[in-house]
Amino acid sequence: MRIALIGAGRIGAVHARSIAASPDAELVLVADPVDGAAARLASAHGAAATTEVGDVFADDTVDAVVVASPTAHHVEQILASVEAGKAVLAEKPVDLDLARADRCLAEVGDRAHRVMLGFNRRFDAGFAEIHRRVAAGEIGDLEQLTIISRDPAAPPVGYLAGSGGIFRDMTIHDLDMARFFLGDIVAVQAVPQRLDPAFAEIDDYDAAIVTLTAASGAVATIINSRHCAAGYDQRLEAFGPRGALRAENHTATSVVLDAAGTSGARGPYLDFFLERYAAAYTSELAAFVAAVREGSAPTPSLLDGRQALALADAATESARTGRSVAPAPVPSAASSAAV
Amino acid sequence: MRIALIGAGRIGAVHARSIAASPDAELVLVADPVDGAAARLASAHGAAATTEVGDVFADDTVDAVVVASPTAHHVEQILASVEAGKAVLAEKPVDLDLARADRCLAEVGDRAHRVMLGFNRRFDAGFAEIHRRVAAGEIGDLEQLTIISRDPAAPPVGYLAGSGGIFRDMTIHDLDMARFFLGDIVAVQAVPQRLDPAFAEIDDYDAAIVTLTAASGAVATIINSRHCAAGYDQRLEAFGPRGALRAENHTATSVVLDAAGTSGARGPYLDFFLERYAAAYTSELAAFVAAVREGSAPTPSLLDGRQALALADAATESARTGRSVAPAPVPSAASSAAV
Amino acid sequence: MRIALIGAGRIGAVHARSIAASPDAELVLVADPVDGAAARLASAHGAAATTEVGDVFADDTVDAVVVASPTAHHVEQILASVEAGKAVLAEKPVDLDLARADRCLAEVGDRAHRVMLGFNRRFDAGFAEIHRRVAAGEIGDLEQLTIISRDPAAPPVGYLAGSGGIFRDMTIHDLDMARFFLGDIVAVQAVPQRLDPAFAEIDDYDAAIVTLTAASGAVATIINSRHCAAGYDQRLEAFGPRGALRAENHTATSVVLDAAGTSGARGPYLDFFLERYAAAYTSELAAFVAAVREGSAPTPSLLDGRQALALADAATESARTGRSVAPAPVPSAASSAAV
Amino acid sequence: MRIALIGAGRIGAVHARSIAASPDAELVLVADPVDGAAARLASAHGAAATTEVGDVFADDTVDAVVVASPTAHHVEQILASVEAGKAVLAEKPVDLDLARADRCLAEVGDRAHRVMLGFNRRFDAGFAEIHRRVAAGEIGDLEQLTIISRDPAAPPVGYLAGSGGIFRDMTIHDLDMARFFLGDIVAVQAVPQRLDPAFAEIDDYDAAIVTLTAASGAVATIINSRHCAAGYDQRLEAFGPRGALRAENHTATSVVLDAAGTSGARGPYLDFFLERYAAAYTSELAAFVAAVREGSAPTPSLLDGRQALALADAATESARTGRSVAPAPVPSAASSAAV
């Protein structure tokens, strides 16, 4: 499969490496309007480069597009790719505006099976193992899902100002994970925290607790923080009547120190997502390539991306009002894309 | 110190053993209206027995009273003990009715330093160690407290019907723990679960997520369930800007099995509270005896008991309405008891 | 059961507490020639005291004797107790001289079922659990036993000079544990270490590796050191064709720290044997009391004590010669005591 | 760097992948006399193939040779490579015969810096981290090294018959690891086990304990078994006066199960060396390529390979005699190769 990559930044480079590692995919074109960025990444992988994103859609030899551009461009590039007959793997979120995401869904329509959303954590070996074992009934019907998800350090204020807020930017990964395990969510409650006063100035939060109630009665609890001294804190626990399955944090090696005053001390958690989820990105690309080759609908879908955004919006409103909020339903115009 | 014990049931027996193990205390009288119960427990410890609870207050040689009777009797026995000039260690909760608890506080008045509430978990070595290390500043200002607290199995429906509901009966321990770490709570949100339909019939829940926001901005998350296959799940994690301290579950031994298909397998969690918190009950009694001997106010206080109940009421209302609820403030008539 | 205690030192105090905690035993007499020692310990437990050890054997109301005196007195006090018709729980080792231990066995003869040797580690809940699960066949026939046993710090040189050397003083516990799991030992190899030159001066070692081959073909490996920065390092792993069972070190609480640069850090290992094996001493006394009451032979037996000493002697010789050494067989005169 | 690979079997395929993953190396030729083997592996990596091993030495465009042939060919192929002016990375062991290894060393002479031995475990991230931290003095002078190394299951008897015995075939990795940490070894003691009687028929063992005493006084203990129910058991602990560093086993994910009767249960250990040491093989090749490019002597050296073999011979003799055995010194003719 011949793949073009839009966006030659940090996450674009991750996708370029995943494509290089795939026996079934080839990186043929890298597009980035920033002068030199596309050329540098392309040359490292023997691909062509362009500063004109339109070249991607015009290239008839390109089978699929990986969209790793800034969020504001996701919708237009997803649509242009689909229009050009190409399969798409787009980074999350679909957009920061739910109405735009809904219009995207509506326009994609029955071509939704050609679009995959990059919620890479679904492909983490540990989370995927828990999902598989829960689905196999090992712990009985899932009752409580607990996600602890803390970044090592907050991004720069400049980034945060345009991020859409903690729920759309950071929690959205955890919201998708909650849906991955629990299915339809009927109610969202969010308790926000502003520990660093700088977050008040940009009308954002640096920590939050979000609870999501599923139609089944199961509840997911998400505990977020923009900082964590020990590294990238990424834990998940699925609890049911027959037991619990939990994924613990990762360290670089299994080395343990026992010394005066301490025992069992390991290194810090892997830091940051490029390292912690390196294998997940590779598995994600492999799943995309396999789905496109087989003509099957890849998961997570464009609808999954829309639903995570709807949950983020509900969390934002709950944080403001202190009330339980139901996520916005999918408009009928968009529902034809519901894969 | 000469101690009388009211209530010769399961928890009364725990206190009798703690008193026996104390070099500074002596069990002199056991009172229980159930025929034979007091006599059996008393004879095992060389104490006198009575079926008339009033004998406890009338006995001038008794220095202190441990109240381990059914909840409905706590308030009257606390008051009678104080009136009789005795120190009191009363089991939680103060009462199931906040107004009665407030009247109790008002009547106790400036004798509140003679009353201790039996929130035994504050004396667990692990939780106490974390509290001490947090207070010492090891992880910086506390930002997020996560308590996972699951019972091995639900009590009989007969018990549940008179328990006051999950928040007043079970969560109240965790609510006190949240206050122990976070101080004053300004907002409570509760997401209840009814996984077993039998709980709907008694208008109660069998699981819940409760979040508490402190005046400081810190948030506590409590995850409760009335059942847990692996035993009594009792974990706590304190998170701050400089690190996290967490107490893991206890197993009977440190034995680990590695075999075909598995590695690192330990035994189940200690089950149930009598075993898991055995040492905590002993430390609790020691703290009570030491405070009474020194004439200092024991902790947790009667006010702590009232505040935990107020939080349970707030959680109950939040579970019903889906809204954030502020706990009821201490009435002025009761505030003189605020130690 | 009325018990007299010989020896009011550190280990005597441990036994006094175990006796106090037993519902079936009573400490009635404490004997210690050191002026004041017996009196102090006796008064704390409501027992009589004497500086004349002979008073113990002369007291007809004494049912059993706990021998916690210096090693040089063990044989004479075991014999005198047995002669006086009393059951005995004697601290290890029987003696530092194998010939004297053999004479003790021969003189005790068919009264050996009245004597128990204080290898307290057999009563540690973890080691006992592994022994029970191995015996139940959980891991198949035991093939390799690995014991890591390191003291927190070396005792004073004055103590070491009269200790009989590391194998008879320290390793002897591990040698008994090897026999507990493996049964008869046919060959011993020891690799000694003198890391601190001071140990050369007293012709002793401060570390060693000892391997023991059982008649079954199973092998035990003992790794000893007189010091360990993280505390009292006491681990054991039993390995068989179907799996492995291991007992990990104990810490005071289950509290774990995750902070900058580290994760999973617990406190140091429990330190030292009084703390690490506190419950084992209590269980040991309970087993002794139960065996005496039932008239059954307590385990570990006097013969177990002799065999551990024979292994220590074999290790001493192997350490000197670099050769595999067979332990000295039990002389026929002593074999009647072989319970 | 243009690399030729001799041997297209299982380990040859591992090296082919490592070369493919290296940005600085290219696989240009695969040689294997087995019909079709070289062609299959070569085609997967875009390399040429030959059934004539001599083609490797004759190809002037080849810079370096990876020797992954059966052990009997290692010496001749190392020598032929060096004669042809090529750098060599040869799989362990150098040979099963110490005299042949010594002759190889002598013939290689001052070209020894062109030869690297494939003791891949030195490149395991965990073992390498411990080595680095020990070298940095974190635990003080190393006193005791404990290596537990158990294969998941014994290889076929056909393989074992030509393997040179457990010490030369399996333990040799651990013997090299002991030298990596402890340097010169002065005495070896081995306690062999024949748990499966089939091993007696081929005059081999299926388990063993080997202790090695270093010139420094430090001692290494190696615990080997040809089977392990839980997978490939690969642990290492370095102990010194200031603490201990240990590498624990690896599991596929960090997922833990808590259920009825169990807690903390992970999956089995990674199984087998291709999976457990996948990253180590890659790091090994990178170290080889880097050393050759810089013209520096790669480690482990040909001498390291010879010394591990000498330790294996000493262990074999000790297992037979029950005595401590000194390893054979390097003959003067071979010592010029001592890098």
Side-chain angles (χ1 to χ4, degrees):
Chain A
M1 182 180 307
R2 294 168 58 83
I3 298 183
L5 170 66
I6 304 177
R10 192 167 57 166
I11 193 67
V14 170
H15 287 296
R17 278 196 296 271
S18 293
I19 297 167
S22 167
D24 299 320
E26 185 186 359
L27 182 63
V28 294
L29 180 60
V30 179
D32 196 307
V34 174
D35 196 42
R40 273 191 301 275
L41 186 59
S43 76
H45 291 281
T50 178
T51 55
E52 294 297 322
V53 174
D55 292 351
V56 165
F57 314 118
D59 186 336
D60 285 348
T61 73
V62 167
D63 300 309
V65 179
V66 172
V67 174
S69 55
T71 298
H73 300 291
H74 288 182
V75 165
E76 73 190 59
Q77 290 168 355
I78 290 170
L79 290 174
S81 298
V82 168
E83 284 296 322
K86 301 178 194 317
V88 190
L89 168 57
E91 269 303 314
K92 47 96 339 203
V94 178
D95 196 89
L96 296 179
D97 180 69
L98 186 60
R100 269 175 60 88
D102 282 335
R103 282 199 299 275
C104 180
L105 264 180
E107 289 195 35
V108 164
D110 59 11
R111 295 166 297 182
H113 66 286
R114 300 282 285 166
V115 184
M116 176 168 167
L117 252 286
F119 285 118
N120 58 300
R121 294 185 196 171
R122 291 195 185 202
F123 299 93
D124 173 71
F127 299 158
E129 176 185 331
I130 294 178
H131 191 266
R132 192 171 56 246
R133 292 169 71 175
V134 169
E138 185 169 341
I139 59 170
D141 289 339
L142 184 57
E143 296 176 349
Q144 296 181 324
L145 183 76
T146 306
I147 298 170
I148 296 180
S149 174
R150 295 174 176 131
D151 287 351
V157 170
Y159 171 89
L160 289 168
S163 71
I166 190 170
F167 301 113
R168 292 186 193 90
D169 179 62
M170 177 183 173
T171 315
I172 199 160
H173 273 294
D174 308 304
L175 295 169
D176 178 67
M177 188 61 65
R179 285 191 67 249
F180 183 45
F181 275 90
L182 266 63
D184 284 345
I185 301 299
V186 297
V188 178
Q189 274 190 318
V191 178
Q193 294 183 275
R194 273 179 192 142
L195 298 160
D196 178 346
F199 282 80
E201 292 164 26
I202 54 173
D203 195 27
D204 197 1
Y205 310 107
D206 53 355
I209 316 299
V210 181
T211 53
L212 302 109
T213 304
S216 68
V219 172
T221 305
I222 297 167
I223 298 173
N224 282 157
S225 171
R226 280 289 192 185
H227 60 253
C228 180
Y232 190 32
D233 193 359
Q234 294 286 292
R235 287 174 280 164
L236 180 151
E237 176 176 300
F239 174 83
R242 301 231 302 269
L245 287 160
R246 52 193 156 95
E248 300 197 333
N249 276 310
H250 294 202
T251 52
T253 68
S254 68
V255 174
V256 172
L257 172 70
D258 300 320
T262 194
S263 69
R266 292 180 170 245
Y269 311 147
L270 282 187
D271 175 3
F272 186 30
F273 65 96
L274 298 182
E275 191 172 8
R276 171 64 177 81
Y277 289 117
Y281 281 108
T282 305
S283 299
E284 177 189 72
L285 187 95
F288 172 66
V289 168
V292 172
R293 286 168 67 112
E294 296 163 6
S296 62
T299 297
S301 67
L302 185 58
L303 179 63
D304 289 323
R306 185 272 178 201
Q307 296 296 64
L309 184 61
L311 292 175
D313 280 5
T316 304
E317 186 185 341
S318 176
R320 191 176 56 80
T321 64
R323 298 192 185 181
S324 178
V325 175
V330 181
S332 57
S335 63
S336 64
V339 179
Chain B
M1 183 180 307
R2 293 169 57 84
I3 298 183
L5 170 66
I6 305 177
R10 191 167 58 166
I11 192 67
V14 170
H15 286 296
R17 278 197 297 273
S18 293
I19 296 166
S22 167
D24 299 320
E26 185 185 359
L27 181 63
V28 294
L29 182 59
V30 178
D32 195 309
V34 175
D35 196 43
R40 274 192 301 276
L41 186 60
S43 77
H45 291 282
T50 178
T51 54
E52 294 296 325
V53 174
D55 292 352
V56 164
F57 315 117
D59 186 337
D60 285 349
T61 74
V62 166
D63 301 309
V65 179
V66 172
V67 174
S69 55
T71 299
H73 299 292
H74 288 181
V75 166
E76 73 192 59
Q77 291 167 356
I78 290 169
L79 290 174
S81 298
V82 168
E83 283 297 321
K86 300 177 194 319
V88 191
L89 168 58
E91 267 303 314
K92 48 95 340 202
V94 178
D95 197 88
L96 295 179
D97 181 69
L98 187 60
R100 269 176 60 87
D102 282 335
R103 282 197 298 276
C104 181
L105 264 180
E107 289 196 35
V108 165
D110 59 10
R111 294 165 299 182
H113 66 285
R114 300 283 285 167
V115 185
M116 177 169 167
L117 252 288
F119 286 117
N120 58 301
R121 295 185 194 170
R122 292 195 185 201
F123 299 93
D124 173 71
F127 301 158
E129 176 185 330
I130 294 179
H131 190 266
R132 194 171 54 245
R133 291 169 70 175
V134 169
E138 185 169 342
I139 60 169
D141 289 339
L142 185 57
E143 296 176 347
Q144 296 181 325
L145 183 76
T146 306
I147 298 170
I148 296 180
S149 174
R150 296 174 175 132
D151 286 352
V157 169
Y159 171 88
L160 288 168
S163 71
I166 190 170
F167 301 113
R168 291 185 193 90
D169 181 63
M170 176 182 174
T171 314
I172 198 160
H173 273 295
D174 308 304
L175 295 169
D176 178 67
M177 188 61 66
R179 285 192 67 248
F180 184 43
F181 275 90
L182 267 63
D184 285 343
I185 301 299
V186 296
V188 178
Q189 274 190 317
V191 178
Q193 294 182 275
R194 272 178 192 144
L195 299 160
D196 178 347
F199 281 81
E201 292 166 26
I202 54 172
D203 196 26
D204 198 359
Y205 311 107
D206 54 355
I209 315 298
V210 181
T211 52
L212 302 108
T213 304
S216 68
V219 172
T221 305
I222 297 167
I223 298 174
N224 281 157
S225 172
R226 279 289 192 184
H227 60 253
C228 180
Y232 190 32
D233 192 0
Q234 295 285 291
R235 287 174 279 166
L236 181 150
E237 176 177 301
F239 174 82
R242 301 230 302 269
L245 286 161
R246 52 192 158 95
E248 302 197 332
N249 276 308
H250 294 202
T251 52
T253 68
S254 68
V255 175
V256 172
L257 171 70
D258 301 319
T262 194
S263 69
R266 292 179 171 245
Y269 312 146
L270 282 188
D271 175 1
F272 188 29
F273 65 95
L274 297 182
E275 192 172 6
R276 170 65 176 81
Y277 290 116
Y281 280 108
T282 306
S283 299
E284 177 188 73
L285 187 96
F288 172 66
V289 170
V292 173
R293 287 169 66 113
E294 295 163 9
S296 61
T299 299
S301 67
L302 185 57
L303 179 63
D304 289 322
R306 185 271 177 202
Q307 296 296 64
L309 185 60
L311 292 175
D313 281 6
T316 305
E317 186 185 341
S318 176
R320 191 176 56 80
T321 63
R323 298 193 186 180
S324 178
V325 175
V330 181
S332 55
S335 62
S336 65
V339 179
Chain C
M1 182 180 309
R2 293 169 57 85
I3 299 183
L5 170 66
I6 305 177
R10 190 168 57 165
I11 191 68
V14 171
H15 287 295
R17 277 196 297 270
S18 293
I19 296 166
S22 166
D24 299 319
E26 185 186 358
L27 183 63
V28 294
L29 182 59
V30 179
D32 195 308
V34 174
D35 196 42
R40 272 191 302 275
L41 186 58
S43 76
H45 291 281
T50 177
T51 55
E52 294 297 322
V53 175
D55 292 353
V56 165
F57 315 117
D59 186 337
D60 285 349
T61 73
V62 167
D63 300 309
V65 179
V66 172
V67 174
S69 55
T71 299
H73 299 292
H74 288 182
V75 166
E76 74 190 60
Q77 290 168 355
I78 290 170
L79 290 174
S81 297
V82 169
E83 283 297 322
K86 300 177 193 319
V88 190
L89 167 58
E91 267 303 313
K92 49 98 330 206
V94 179
D95 197 89
L96 296 178
D97 180 70
L98 186 59
R100 269 176 60 86
D102 282 337
R103 282 198 299 276
C104 181
L105 263 180
E107 288 195 37
V108 164
D110 60 10
R111 296 166 297 183
H113 67 284
R114 300 282 285 167
V115 185
M116 177 168 167
L117 253 286
F119 286 118
N120 59 299
R121 294 185 196 173
R122 291 195 185 201
F123 299 93
D124 173 71
F127 301 158
E129 177 186 330
I130 294 179
H131 190 267
R132 191 171 58 246
R133 292 169 72 174
V134 169
E138 185 170 340
I139 60 169
D141 289 339
L142 185 57
E143 295 177 348
Q144 296 181 325
L145 183 76
T146 305
I147 298 170
I148 295 179
S149 175
R150 296 175 176 131
D151 286 352
V157 171
Y159 171 89
L160 288 169
S163 71
I166 190 171
F167 301 112
R168 291 185 193 90
D169 180 62
M170 177 184 173
T171 315
I172 198 159
H173 273 294
D174 308 304
L175 296 169
D176 178 67
M177 189 58 66
R179 285 191 66 249
F180 183 45
F181 275 89
L182 267 62
D184 285 343
I185 300 299
V186 297
V188 179
Q189 275 191 318
V191 178
Q193 294 182 275
R194 274 179 191 142
L195 297 160
D196 178 346
F199 282 81
E201 291 164 27
I202 55 172
D203 195 26
D204 197 0
Y205 310 107
D206 54 355
I209 316 299
V210 181
T211 53
L212 302 108
T213 305
S216 67
V219 171
T221 304
I222 297 166
I223 297 173
N224 281 156
S225 171
R226 279 291 193 184
H227 60 253
C228 180
Y232 190 32
D233 192 0
Q234 296 284 292
R235 286 173 282 165
L236 181 150
E237 176 177 300
F239 174 82
R242 302 230 303 269
L245 287 160
R246 53 194 157 93
E248 301 197 332
N249 276 309
H250 294 202
T251 51
T253 68
S254 68
V255 174
V256 172
L257 172 69
D258 301 318
T262 196
S263 69
R266 291 179 172 246
Y269 312 147
L270 283 188
D271 174 3
F272 185 30
F273 65 95
L274 297 183
E275 192 172 7
R276 171 64 177 80
Y277 290 116
Y281 280 108
T282 305
S283 299
E284 178 188 72
L285 187 96
F288 172 67
V289 169
V292 173
R293 287 168 66 112
E294 296 163 9
S296 62
T299 297
S301 68
L302 186 56
L303 179 63
D304 288 324
R306 184 272 177 201
Q307 296 296 65
L309 185 60
L311 292 175
D313 280 7
T316 305
E317 186 185 341
S318 176
R320 193 178 52 81
T321 63
R323 297 191 185 182
S324 178
V325 175
V330 180
S332 57
S335 63
S336 66
V339 179
Chain D
M1 183 180 308
R2 293 168 59 85
I3 298 184
L5 170 66
I6 305 178
R10 191 167 58 167
I11 191 69
V14 170
H15 287 297
R17 278 197 296 272
S18 292
I19 296 166
S22 166
D24 299 320
E26 184 186 358
L27 182 63
V28 294
L29 181 59
V30 179
D32 194 307
V34 175
D35 197 43
R40 274 191 301 275
L41 186 59
S43 77
H45 291 281
T50 177
T51 56
E52 295 296 323
V53 173
D55 291 353
V56 165
F57 314 118
D59 186 338
D60 284 349
T61 72
V62 166
D63 301 309
V65 179
V66 172
V67 174
S69 56
T71 299
H73 300 293
H74 288 182
V75 166
E76 73 191 59
Q77 290 167 356
I78 290 169
L79 290 175
S81 298
V82 169
E83 283 297 321
K86 299 176 194 320
V88 191
L89 168 57
E91 268 303 314
K92 48 91 347 199
V94 178
D95 196 89
L96 296 178
D97 181 70
L98 186 59
R100 269 176 60 86
D102 281 337
R103 281 198 299 277
C104 181
L105 263 181
E107 289 196 36
V108 165
D110 59 10
R111 294 165 299 183
H113 66 285
R114 299 283 285 166
V115 185
M116 177 169 166
L117 252 287
F119 285 118
N120 58 299
R121 294 185 196 172
R122 291 194 185 201
F123 299 93
D124 173 72
F127 300 159
E129 176 185 331
I130 294 179
H131 190 269
R132 192 172 55 246
R133 291 169 71 175
V134 169
E138 185 170 341
I139 60 169
D141 289 339
L142 185 57
E143 296 177 348
Q144 297 181 323
L145 183 76
T146 304
I147 298 170
I148 296 181
S149 174
R150 296 174 176 132
D151 286 353
V157 170
Y159 171 88
L160 288 168
S163 73
I166 190 171
F167 300 113
R168 291 185 193 92
D169 180 61
M170 177 182 173
T171 315
I172 199 160
H173 272 295
D174 308 305
L175 295 169
D176 178 67
M177 189 61 67
R179 286 191 66 248
F180 183 44
F181 275 90
L182 267 64
D184 285 344
I185 301 299
V186 296
V188 178
Q189 275 192 317
V191 178
Q193 294 182 275
R194 272 178 192 143
L195 298 160
D196 178 346
F199 281 81
E201 293 166 26
I202 54 172
D203 196 27
D204 198 0
Y205 311 106
D206 54 353
I209 316 298
V210 181
T211 51
L212 302 108
T213 304
S216 68
V219 172
T221 304
I222 297 166
I223 298 174
N224 281 156
S225 171
R226 279 289 192 184
H227 60 252
C228 180
Y232 190 31
D233 192 359
Q234 296 284 292
R235 287 174 280 166
L236 181 150
E237 176 176 302
F239 174 82
R242 301 230 302 269
L245 287 161
R246 52 194 158 94
E248 302 197 332
N249 276 310
H250 294 201
T251 52
T253 68
S254 69
V255 175
V256 172
L257 172 70
D258 301 319
T262 194
S263 69
R266 292 180 170 245
Y269 311 146
L270 282 188
D271 176 2
F272 187 31
F273 64 96
L274 297 183
E275 192 172 5
R276 172 65 175 82
Y277 290 116
Y281 280 109
T282 306
S283 298
E284 177 189 72
L285 188 96
F288 172 67
V289 169
V292 174
R293 286 169 66 114
E294 296 164 7
S296 62
T299 297
S301 67
L302 186 57
L303 179 64
D304 289 323
R306 185 272 176 202
Q307 295 297 64
L309 185 61
L311 293 175
D313 280 7
T316 305
E317 187 185 340
S318 175
R320 192 176 56 78
T321 63
R323 297 193 186 180
S324 177
V325 175
V330 182
S332 57
S335 63
S336 65
V339 179

